[in-house]
Amino acid sequence: MENETKKIILSGIQPTGVFTLGNYLGAVRSWKKMQEDYNCYYFIADLHSMTIHIDPQKRRQQTREAFALLLACGIDTEKSLVFVQSHNKCHAEMGWIMDCCSQFGELSRMTQFKDKSAKHPDNINAGLFTYPALMAGDILLYQADYVPVGADQTQHLEFTRDVATRFNHTYGEVFKLPEGYFPKAGARVMSLQDPTSKMSKSDTNPKATISILDDEKTILKKFKSAVTDSEACVRFDPDKKPGVSNLMTIYSAITGKTMEEIESEFAGKGYGDFKAAVGQAVADELRPIRENFARLIQDRSYLEEEMKKGAERATYIANKTLTKVKKRVGLLLAK
Ligand code: TRP
């Protein structure tokens, strides 16, 4: 699996519900492609999910589902390292060390912290505040070269580089500085009901998001009711026609067609035909994933076995960096 000459890509996804078409086209689908060219490490960020309250039983279930979903989307455990964050104790340990290398001021400036504390004023826990330090630890433990992150996480990646630079300066070179990775094929998918905001798992309007496990009928129905405009012309213009442009983005991401090709394909046709075509393309793309998932989620022992293998390997790799870090900061190593 490991190839010394390949660069390391690392990314995490929170187990906060079934991925949306946005997660899939924006991230997970590229994760699959990257397996061929990089050493890829993907994990379910269950520790990060603790910053928001979720029913414990639900968290367990969502963690298992998220793991199965990655595999169902084509992440191959023969090629990539896939694991659950909390199964590798190095993350929690490294998180504390990173906490002690992070400044109150810089953490206070994180926009995600400001947004989430505004959204959940009754649960502004310390974990929400130190979240970027835990994330920095995730990345630095594996000496990742590239981290594919969405726009909402670029500030955390910048923060990671700042912490790593400071640490290297204070204690001597230990960490590689990770860079952001922005896959060409990554599409930014917007809500089907409010195309000016991003498609989100937590949207309360079920018509706004496509779950990657939605069946064909549901998918077609949701696309049929997607918000467009009254011009009746399929033309790419995200400012003036955000709804239609979003549907074009989705269609282009799946079929590989350019915006010009899509415009001429639907020239003179109404939105009805266009929406049906987009819905059908999405349904066809997601069908095998849904089928894979249905099979995997029933095979509890297979999933547990894969999680165990992933955790062992992740721990082996991360522990090398963690031991170095402990030595550098002067923690006495246990004999
Ligand atoms: N914070 C990321 C998110 O919510 C998840 C995450 C946790 C992550 N640790 C990471 C992503 C390390 C990339 C690298 O999307």
Side-chain angles (χ1 to χ4, degrees), residues 103-278:
Q103 297 300 307
F104 182 84
E106 56 187 347
L107 289 173
S108 309
R109 286 193 291 275
M110 295 291 134
T111 49
Q112 180 172 294
F113 173 68
K114 290 190 230 170
D115 291 350
K116 286 202 177 167
S117 35
K119 215 164 148 192
H120 304 276
D122 53 338
N123 185 21
I124 307 178
N125 58 78
L128 196 63
F129 188 66
T130 61
Y131 182 113
L134 181 63
M135 180 160 160
D138 298 338
I139 297 168
L140 299 175
L141 273 176
Y142 298 89
Q143 305 285 1
D145 294 283
Y146 299 113
V147 182
V149 284
D152 58 330
Q153 298 294 319
T154 49
Q155 197 184 23
H156 292 164
L157 186 60
E158 253 337 287
F159 169 82
T160 302
R161 292 169 58 89
D162 290 346
V163 173
T165 306
R166 210 152 54 215
F167 188 100
N168 286 346
H169 186 72
T170 310
Y171 299 107
E173 277 310 296
V174 174
F175 299 129
K176 198 183 264 179
L177 293 192
E179 282 172 37
Y181 186 87
F182 308 96
K184 279 188 244 63
R188 184 169 156 80
V189 177
M190 313 303 276
S191 154
L192 297 185
Q193 292 299 316
D194 171 15
T196 56
S197 68
K198 205 176 133 185
M199 184 180 282
S200 158
K201 278 187 242 187
S202 51
D203 203 310
T204 47
N205 181 354
K207 279 162 59 181
T209 57
I210 301 283
S211 146
I212 62 165
L213 297 179
D214 278 346
D215 61 27
E216 179 158 342
K217 222 175 104 197
T218 310
I219 295 172
L220 293 174
K221 215 164 93 194
K222 286 185 185 172
F223 275 101
K224 204 169 164 189
S225 65
V227 166
T228 47
D229 52 59
S230 54
E231 196 196 13
C233 171
V234 176
R235 183 165 55 80
F236 190 69
D237 184 345
D239 289 333
K240 295 208 186 76
K241 297 167 71 70
V244 168
S245 302
N246 183 38
L247 298 182
M248 289 178 78
T249 301
I250 295 170
Y251 193 62
S252 163
I254 291 177
T255 60
K257 292 178 188 167
T258 64
M259 294 307 171
E260 294 74 39
E261 285 167 342
I262 299 170
E263 283 170 5
S264 54
E265 182 177 346
F266 295 99
K269 291 188 186 150
Y271 286 161
D273 288 347
F274 173 53
K275 287 175 170 182
V278 181

Side-chain angles (χ1 to χ4, degrees), residues 29 46-47 49 61 95 116 195 199 297:
R29 197 176 61 147
D46 58 344
L47 294 174
S49 81
Q61 189 191 332
K116 286 202 177 167
M199 184 180 282
I297 202 66

Side-chain angles (χ1 to χ4, degrees), residues 314-327:
T315 304
Y316 173 78
I317 299 170
N319 205 32
K320 289 196 217 169
T321 307
L322 183 60
T323 305
K324 250 192 236 170
V325 166
K326 285 176 159 179
K327 277 193 197 152

